[in-house]
Amino acid sequence: GNSVTQMEGPVTLSEEAFLTINCTYTATGYPSLFWYVQYPGEGLQLLLKATKADDKGSNKGFEATYRKETTSFHLEKGSVQVSDSAVYFCALSDNADKLIFGTGTRLQVFP
Amino acid sequence: DGGITQSPKYLFRKEGQNVTLSCEQNLNHDAMYWYRQDPGQGLRLIYYSQIVNDFQKGDIAEGYSVSREKKESFPLTVTSAQKNPTAFYLCASSTSPGAGGFFGQGTRLTVV
């Protein structure tokens, strides 16, 4: 079945460091891919998405490229801020429009 | 403003009692979803509905029930048959396949 695998956290970085959170997926067909962010005690917010191979999603300095050949959708940011501290979820949307999530990666950014 | 409203934010119930979590959206989205989140884990799909008066079981539907009588509303009932109901429950809606979900703020249910 379809699944999403994310790197284990927490990821701990200093402010202005480069961020990469790895995400790989297993799916039949051509799913849409998403990154969501969750701040403490809140729901999830859609951060960015890509709907087909080689698409790059971007928002608030975050980027991720849909790589069909490596079945990956890694999240990157060139310079993180303390306010980026949160849990990040990679997800895919299957043919029935159900979202399948990874287990989440906690990011901690220190000044 | 358009959005999804989940209420209440915190809910406490005694073991053996049924409890209903509310989810309302004014986004005019056809599809709605309920997810469960446990500490340090991802989200697991409980039920989803792609149209009024129709819904399907997700991966962990046992011990839960839903209804979709109106497009705007998708309440979730946690029954006494749910063995471990304490969790964070998230409701989401979606306008179309590939659009992703728009989430509410969640309800934290604690059963004592």
Side-chain angles (χ1 to χ4, degrees), chain B residues 22-43:
Chain B
S22 170
C23 178
E24 303 278 334
Q25 55 102 354
N26 60 4
L27 300 165
N28 200 34
H29 288 173
D30 286 316
M32 297 187 73
Y33 310 82
W34 275 105
Y35 291 89
R36 170 182 172 136
Q37 185 178 24
D38 293 288
Q41 297 189 31
L43 279 70

Side-chain angles (χ1 to χ4, degrees), chain A residues 4-55:
Chain A
V4 175
T5 301
Q6 287 182 240
M7 62 187 290
E8 296 261 345
V11 173
T12 303
L13 295 173
S14 297
E15 206 165 24
E16 298 184 5
F18 185 86
L19 169 71
T20 299
I21 299 178
N22 291 338
C23 171
T24 57
Y25 67 91
T26 301
T28 55
Y30 303 95
S32 295
L33 301 174
F34 307 87
W35 277 101
Y36 286 85
V37 58
Q38 185 179 35
Y39 298 100
E42 297 186 9
L44 275 67
Q45 299 174 29
L46 179 62
L47 182 59
L48 53 85
K49 69 176 183 181
T51 58
K52 61 183 187 298
D54 299 326
D55 266 3

